[in-house]
Amino acid sequence: MKIAVSYLASYYSKEKTISLINRTDADFIHVDLMDGGFVPRKNFLIEDVGRLFKNNEKSLDIHLMVFDPIIYINDLARIKPEYITFHIEATKEIVKTIEVIKAKGIKVGIAIKPATSILELMPYLSFIDMVLVMSVEPGEGGQTFIPSTLSKIEELKKIRENNNLSFLIEVDGGINKATIKDLNVDIVVSGSFVCKSKNYQEKINELKSK
Ligand code: DX5
Ligand code: ZN
């Protein structure tokens, strides 16, 4: 499983946290962007993101927790992310958003909140590169993994297999040394478990040796 590290909850500034993640062998930096509408907290200005990730070393995995994701894509494309993922609950223009992200040469993911059914994804699964299954309510780091996520992941894997689809499955929220043991997906996101520690690489090693 690949590891994406979210810098949302950390002892250090964003700048320092990002530079520490860049020095580990994590596969991605997971960039959580919130608009203060789709989720209560707002944590970014597009200029900040441009500054923080100018010439970034690791691949970027952007998780948009915003209404109207489409309006951010042009600006975000400048930091050359590998993935941009938006929430199915956040827009009515799902097909258009997929197309706009793909037209920039960026891989596209759709995220679902814990209460959203996998079935909502069905019309889009053959057009996207990734499904991000939220295992906590989006909005904050440091929450507890919701166990019912596990059956959702199994359901999604069956759909992928039965239909010969190739999207990746990513899980985000409450991942630590214990909760990762039950997971077998393509990418796991870990935030506070890694960044609320003094030695990021040690924590990543613990996740990798699950
Ligand atoms: C939650 C974010 C997550 C979060 C993960 O809204 O999407 O990426 O930062 O942090 P932990 O691992 O602390 O749950
Ligand atoms: Zn996230």
Side-chain angles (χ1 to χ4, degrees):
M1 288 194 284
K2 292 194 166 171
I3 309 279
V5 178
S6 158
Y7 57 91
L8 213 53
S10 165
Y11 293 133
Y12 309 114
S13 66
K14 281 184 190 161
E15 288 79 359
K16 178 155 185 199
T17 306
I18 290 163
S19 106
L20 288 173
I21 300 170
N22 268 313
R23 280 186 239 153
T24 69
D25 69 2
D27 300 285
F28 300 93
I29 296 189
H30 180 84
V31 183
D32 285 307
L33 300 181
M34 315 191 204
D35 65 352
F38 180 69
V39 289
R41 183 167 153 199
K42 177 170 170 132
N43 75 339
F44 80 106
L45 292 172
I46 214 79
E47 306 84 67
D48 292 344
V49 177
R51 180 179 50 80
L52 287 169
F53 295 105
K54 210 171 145 197
N55 307 320
N56 191 70
E57 291 155 46
K58 285 203 190 286
S59 281
L60 300 176
D61 167 38
I62 298 182
H63 176 195
L64 288 176
M65 289 168 270
V66 301
F67 285 125
D68 296 323
I70 220 161
I71 61 178
Y72 301 93
I73 307 305
N74 235 339
D75 287 324
L76 290 174
R78 294 205 195 108
I79 58 168
K80 301 190 173 23
E82 184 165 347
Y83 290 94
I84 295 182
T85 296
F86 64 96
H87 270 266
I88 196 164
E89 306 89 356
T91 176
K92 293 216 167 4
E93 298 192 302
I94 293 171
V95 172
K96 197 167 163 207
T97 307
I98 293 171
E99 283 169 1
V100 169
I101 295 171
K102 279 190 174 176
K104 296 280 180 191
I106 299 165
K107 294 177 197 159
V108 58
I110 299 186
I112 53 166
K113 293 203 222 179
T116 304
S117 161
I118 291 291
L119 299 178
E120 309 254 342
L121 294 167
M122 291 304 279
Y124 315 108
L125 290 175
S126 53
F127 307 114
I128 62 177
D129 301 288
M130 183 156 84
V131 173
L132 170 50
V133 180
M134 289 301 298
S135 40
V136 299
E137 283 303 324
E140 291 292 341
Q143 303 180 71
T144 306
F145 186 89
I146 300 172
S148 58
T149 314
L150 295 173
S151 54
K152 237 170 153 178
I153 295 167
E154 288 316 306
E155 204 184 330
L156 190 57
K157 280 191 195 163
K158 266 187 213 139
I159 294 170
R160 179 169 69 177
E161 202 181 312
N162 294 345
N163 297 283
N164 261 320
L165 295 169
S166 56
F167 61 84
L168 301 184
I169 300 175
E170 179 176 51
V171 180
D172 181 11
I175 307 282
N176 56 39
K177 200 165 74 174
T179 52
I180 200 172
K181 289 207 177 357
D182 297 323
L183 290 172
N184 185 12
V185 293
D186 302 293
I187 307 174
V188 290
V189 178
S190 187
S192 48
F193 179 70
V194 174
C195 296
K196 287 251 168 142
S197 82
K198 297 280 178 213
N199 187 333
Y200 291 11
Q201 186 60 56
E202 206 173 272
K203 293 290 169 182
I204 291 167
N205 292 345
E206 287 180 22
L207 293 174
K208 289 198 169 175
S209 70
K210 74 133 184 168

